[in-house]
Amino acid sequence: MTGEAVPFETPDLYGAFPRLTEEQIGFLADHGRRFSVEPGQVLIREGERVTEFMVVLRGSVAVVEDFGGPGERILRVHGPGRFLGEVGLLSGQAAFTTSQAREAGEILSAPVDRVRVLVARDPILGDLILRAYLGRRALLVGAGAGFRIIGSRYSPDTRRLREFAARNRLPHRWIDLEADQEAEAALRRFSIRPEETPIVIWRERELLRNPSNGELARLIGLTAPPTAEEGRCDVLIIGSGPAGLAAAVYGASEGLATVVMDAIATGGQAGTSSRIENYFGFPSGISGAELAELGVFQAHKFGAAVRVPAEATALAPDDGRYRIALADGGEVISRSVVLATGARYRRLDVPGIERLESTSVHYAATVYEAQQCRADPVAVVGGGNSSGQAALFLADHVPRAYLLVRGADLRAKMSRYLIDRIERHPRVKVLCNTEAREVIGEDALRAVVVENNLSGERRKLDVRALFCFIGAVPCTAWLAGSLALDDRGFVVTGAPARARAGPAAWEGHDRGSMPLETSLPGVFAAGDVRSGSVKRVASAVGEGAMAIHHAHEHLSHLATYAPSGPPLEPDGGHNTSADHREDGGDGR
């Protein structure tokens, strides 16, 4: 009977394998079909896109990694009442596992596109499915499922591929060319020489030699950049950190044809945070990766197109619109633009550090970096919240985390709740008035020489990894000469920006400039990339929403304005009815 577990079913220990109620199954059944399955029948095949949301009604289904290959193994088994798939199903990625019927039974199947609309109508069901899918993706990542990256720990390209996979939360496993015996066997099987690495292997049949990020994205089904023909929209959002994702959600929900793109991954700098504990609405904290995942799903729900990887290289006015050139040769034409490219952590000014950036020097502290450190001590440089969060997170994985702070104490730049936790943690050692002066190690870090900036005394810390969180550099090099930047490269907005605009830039615009508007009318900046912004996640989200309000105002002043696509009905898409907006009012 539906809802009864089978004896060998994988227990739901983490909330990733919930069972639907009879009412929820009935709700889905009104929009789907039932069909019988035989033992061994494949329902979802690894490497293929999934277009159907499936619920087990009778029998059981096994989730298998490397189906039919030498490493085949059953990851879990689902019985009646459980549903198949993981978060990639909602975003259009290829499946990372195969689902196969273990015995004769019955399946309820409904088109994924229809299910997206249905779960928007039923927030309880939608939250249940989304939370389960996010949990399943985390379990897949932890299990090392998915594709394999084989490469040297000393190779910059190996690190590039690993970071791209990690930032996009893609299930994968790294096989160290120097330390893993599996690497040699795999290279022999595919007739690959060590100097041809890194390589990516998927399903034992597909192999990429040192692929670009775009090639890897296409392999696993991440959305490709839009073509020139497709790339016409009301608002183009460049950068998908908290500001960019917020703008995508508000833009799409307000009926604008919205595209958000990012050169590397959704989440931005916040996406690399192990835990954000002072963000409103999450009293127990939330990881940056999960926050990004939720934001992407929400943007998809309202109809925004999310393009990763897609790198903007130039921005130029074009007959009342803006033409944005992409690194792959494509382009996007948009009526308005939101710049949300954020900032990246500044490189530590220590001689020789460049040679270690592919192995031992990191600018993020996620589970991937923690796994690489294993049981070795580490050093974290910086005195702000990011460095404090990183030190606490790493201290749960390593025997000692040194926090190197240039100032006299932590109170100048760090939140009180973090300071209290750091002071109580037995494996975090804070060294104030301390700066890194030298790194020791050729291929990998062996030690860091630090100096007390008051006494000049130097000492050596035996650490195997260095994490740097020492201030931000804006990602605006591609904008130089296109619009006004301040002396540090951040985008100037508001009246000061218009004052620096060229004489022809605002010709024909009979209105004042708006607070987030740049020196080009209809181009807005939000979040960390904006000059004078508050560098906090909540501020970035607010500015992303505010930028969409400005975009509406700009478009309403254009004589040629008409939305590129009609709003969807309130059952799960674009929506301009005040009754459905979160604040019951303007909503922008």
Side-chain angles (χ1 to χ4, degrees):
M1 187 177 86
T2 302
E4 292 183 351
V6 292
F8 40 80
E9 186 179 53
T10 305
D12 185 17
L13 299 179
Y14 306 102
F17 313 126
R19 203 178 310 282
L20 299 179
T21 66
E22 293 284 356
E23 291 77 14
Q24 289 169 332
I25 292 174
F27 175 65
L28 293 169
D30 290 339
H31 306 274
R33 63 186 179 92
R34 298 170 183 258
F35 64 91
S36 300
V37 294
E38 299 299 325
Q41 183 174 338
V42 173
L43 303 171
I44 297 174
R45 191 176 296 276
E46 182 179 349
E48 297 179 0
R49 288 178 181 264
V50 185
T51 59
E52 296 289 311
F53 177 86
M54 286 178 267
V55 182
V56 182
L57 298 180
R58 288 190 294 106
S60 60
V61 175
V63 178
V64 183
E65 181 192 7
D66 193 25
F67 178 70
E72 179 176 327
R73 61 171 174 154
I74 295 178
L75 296 177
R76 56 195 61 98
V77 176
H78 297 307
R82 289 191 179 179
F83 50 90
L84 307 181
E86 51 94 36
V87 75
L89 178 143
L90 298 175
S91 58
Q93 294 177 16
F96 288 94
T97 56
T98 295
S99 295
Q100 181 186 38
R102 287 173 58 97
E103 56 190 301
E106 187 179 20
I107 298 293
L108 169 64
S109 176
V112 170
D113 290 342
R114 186 59 182 161
V115 170
R116 288 196 188 100
V117 176
L118 295 175
V119 298
R121 290 179 178 174
D122 187 337
I124 295 177
L125 177 61
D127 185 67
L128 178 76
I129 292 173
L130 179 58
R131 289 290 177 180
Y133 275 176
L134 291 173
R136 293 179 190 186
R137 172 55 66 92
L139 290 173
L140 281 179
V141 170
F147 57 88
R148 288 175 291 164
I149 300 173
I150 302 179
S152 170
R153 67 179 66 183
Y154 308 118
S155 164
D157 281 319
T158 298
R159 177 160 183 170
R160 170 182 57 81
L161 291 170
R162 293 183 64 208
E163 286 187 348
F164 181 77
R167 291 282 303 276
N168 284 283
R169 300 165 288 283
L170 302 176
H172 70 285
R173 181 159 57 94
W174 170 51
I175 301 174
D176 191 342
L177 189 64
E178 278 79 25
D180 200 320
Q181 293 182 350
E182 185 182 347
E184 184 177 351
L187 294 185
R188 283 200 305 267
R189 185 161 63 252
F190 289 97
S191 301
I192 301 293
R193 299 188 304 274
E195 56 268 27
E196 294 179 283
T197 59
I199 61 172
V200 172
I201 301 173
W202 199 14
R203 300 187 298 167
E204 294 298 321
R205 297 191 299 276
E206 297 182 66
L207 182 146
L208 299 178
R209 288 177 168 86
N210 194 16
S212 66
N213 290 351
E215 290 171 326
L216 178 56
R218 286 188 288 274
L219 176 69
I220 49 82
L222 280 178
T223 308
T227 64
E229 292 75 18
E230 298 170 329
R232 294 179 180 271
C233 52
D234 291 329
V235 57
L236 173 67
I237 302 157
I238 305 175
S240 64
L245 289 177
V249 168
Y250 281 93
S253 67
E254 288 297 318
L256 298 177
T258 303
V259 174
V260 56
M261 64 186 198
D262 200 288
I264 300 176
T266 57
Q269 191 168 284
T272 67
S273 176
S274 56
R275 197 142 203 88
I276 303 170
E277 295 192 68
N278 60 349
Y279 185 48
F280 177 78
F282 295 91
S284 60
I286 184 172
S287 73
E290 185 179 3
L291 184 65
E293 203 86 70
L294 292 168
V296 170
F297 178 78
Q298 196 171 15
H300 276 304
K301 184 181 78 171
F302 288 117
V306 182
R307 311 290 183 182
V308 176
E311 181 182 359
T313 57
L315 181 153
D318 182 14
D319 192 24
R321 295 176 172 82
Y322 288 97
R323 187 178 297 270
I324 295 86
L326 305 179
D328 67 353
E331 62 181 18
V332 183
I333 298 174
S334 184
R335 300 169 186 241
S336 63
V337 178
V338 175
L339 301 173
T341 51
R344 60 181 180 272
Y345 287 111
R346 188 179 295 114
R347 173 180 287 175
L348 193 64
D349 186 17
V350 175
I353 198 170
E354 296 86 355
R355 70 175 183 271
L356 300 175
E357 287 186 329
S358 63
T359 59
S360 313
V361 178
H362 308 281
Y363 298 90
T366 70
V367 65
Y368 299 94
E369 287 82 16
Q371 289 172 346
Q372 186 171 338
C373 295
R374 296 174 182 154
D376 297 321
V378 303
V380 179
V381 181
N385 280 359
S386 296
S387 57
Q389 290 164 345
L392 286 168
F393 171 71
L394 292 166
D396 290 334
H397 297 79
V398 301
R400 173 69 74 185
Y402 295 96
L403 182 56
L404 312 183
V405 183
R406 183 172 58 180
D409 56 46
L410 296 174
R411 290 175 295 178
K413 296 182 179 180
M414 190 177 294
S415 297
R416 184 69 246 179
Y417 80 95
L418 277 176
I419 296 175
D420 292 341
R421 291 183 58 198
I422 286 170
E423 291 176 344
R424 292 195 301 265
H425 203 295
R427 290 192 295 278
V428 177
K429 176 68 172 178
V430 180
L431 302 178
C432 294
N433 296 118
T434 300
E435 300 181 50
R437 296 302 188 201
E438 182 183 351
V439 290
I440 299 174
E442 291 300 320
D443 297 323
L445 185 67
R446 303 300 176 204
V448 175
V449 176
V450 298
E451 178 181 281
N452 184 294
N453 55 29
L454 295 180
S455 67
E457 180 185 356
R458 291 196 174 195
R459 56 180 291 199
K460 184 173 71 173
L461 300 179
D462 292 323
V463 296
R464 299 295 181 266
L466 186 63
F467 292 81
C468 302
F469 304 94
I470 55 169
V473 177
C475 302
T476 56
W478 65 284
L479 291 169
S482 299
L483 45 73
L485 306 176
D486 68 14
D487 55 1
R488 295 187 299 158
F490 291 89
V491 179
V492 179
T493 56
R498 181 164 181 170
R500 294 174 55 179
W506 285 77
E507 185 177 346
H509 293 274
D510 56 347
R511 62 172 177 82
S513 60
M514 289 174 271
L516 301 186
E517 199 161 24
T518 70
S519 55
L520 293 175
V523 178
F524 308 94
D528 288 0
V529 75
R530 190 177 69 83
S531 179
S533 67
V534 177
K535 305 301 189 278
R536 288 289 187 271
V537 172
S539 300
V541 170
E543 290 194 4
M546 187 175 173
I548 295 302
H549 174 71
H550 289 346
H552 268 289
E553 293 294 317
H554 167 73
L555 294 174
S556 69
H557 279 83
L558 296 180
T560 57
Y561 172 61
S564 297
L568 299 181
E569 295 301 318
D571 63 2
H574 300 165
N575 164 26
T576 56
S577 168
D579 291 337
H580 289 83
R581 291 174 182 146
E582 66 171 19
D583 57 358
D586 178 72
R588 291 175 288 176

